[in-house]
Amino acid sequence: MGRTPDAWQIDGRPDGPAVAEADVYCRDGATTARFLPTLAAAGHGSFRFDASPQMRRRPLLPLTRALRDLGVDLRHEEAEGHHPLRIEAAGVEGGEVVLDAGQSSQYLTALLLLGPLTRKGLHVRVTDLVSAPYVEITIAMMRAFGVEVRTEGSVYVVPQGATAPPPTGSNRTRPPRATSSRRRR
């Protein structure tokens, strides 16, 4: 990572986190609490994630079930499907997985972001999806970074390893609230 007066530069890590061990407190951040454990699974090491009491009440089970189906060694330390959780990461092979994203589109977004970091890519069959506009933003941003996510009906296909230099300029990353009648993420 680097910074100049006009810009930040963040270099990606296709092998996952640069550390072999971390204890991450996600506080109230749903994005942090859902995306970081998924991306940590692409690395190698022991990663623990916890969150505020409010975040601990929010469900993770559809995402953690999908990660387990992909071979990720993931354990919830208290209530099944909720923080805190621990991942013993050894990279992710990839392949096919079924996901219910009816509670949060962030479950699907997390898996889409994981796809290029897997050894074989991902085919995610979605049985339910809320807040599709957020998923479309993710797909557009991934395309800008060289990852072509294909949709085949309810299946999202993410290739392994595709990346490109980051685009220049600014990008809006959150849609206006009026883009979806179901605002729950």
Side-chain angles (χ1 to χ4, degrees):
M1 182 165 73
R3 183 168 191 248
T4 66
D6 298 327
W8 285 86
Q9 176 182 335
I10 300 173
D11 299 318
R13 292 211 22 99
D15 295 327
V19 298
E21 186 174 337
D23 191 14
V24 179
Y25 182 62
C26 302
R27 198 178 218 166
D28 292 326
T31 301
T32 304
R34 292 171 177 159
F35 292 4
L36 287 187
T38 303
L39 297 175
H44 298 307
S46 181
F47 304 97
R48 183 178 183 276
F49 297 88
D50 201 356
S52 69
Q54 176 184 346
M55 243 349 267
R56 281 182 167 204
R57 289 189 296 272
R58 295 184 65 185
L60 282 174
L61 190 58
L63 177 59
T64 58
R65 183 177 291 138
L67 290 170
R68 286 174 174 159
D69 289 347
L70 290 168
V72 174
D73 180 358
L74 184 152
R75 292 183 314 278
H76 294 278
E77 294 180 347
E78 294 178 16
E80 182 67 15
H82 297 272
H83 282 86
L85 62 91
R86 178 174 298 278
I87 294 175
E88 298 300 328
V92 179
E93 187 68 20
E96 296 183 11
V97 69
V98 176
L99 176 70
D100 178 349
Q103 293 176 326
S104 174
S105 64
Q106 288 182 341
Y107 303 153
L108 177 56
T109 294
L111 291 177
L112 294 176
L113 294 173
L114 175 65
L117 306 178
T118 66
R119 291 183 278 277
K120 296 185 339 187
L122 284 179
H123 289 94
V124 184
R125 184 169 59 85
V126 178
T127 60
D128 191 15
L129 177 61
V130 65
S131 301
Y134 289 106
V135 175
E136 293 303 320
I137 290 170
T138 300
I139 292 170
M141 289 302 299
M142 291 177 74
R143 185 177 305 114
F145 281 84
V147 179
E148 288 295 329
V149 177
R150 293 188 336 268
T151 55
E152 301 169 357
S154 64
V155 177
Y156 292 77
V157 180
V158 187
Q160 174 275 336
T163 60
T168 57
S170 65
N171 290 291
R172 182 179 177 90
T173 58
R174 290 186 72 87
R177 291 196 185 271
T179 61
S180 174
S181 61
R182 292 180 74 185
R183 293 173 53 188
R184 182 180 52 192
R185 294 223 357 156

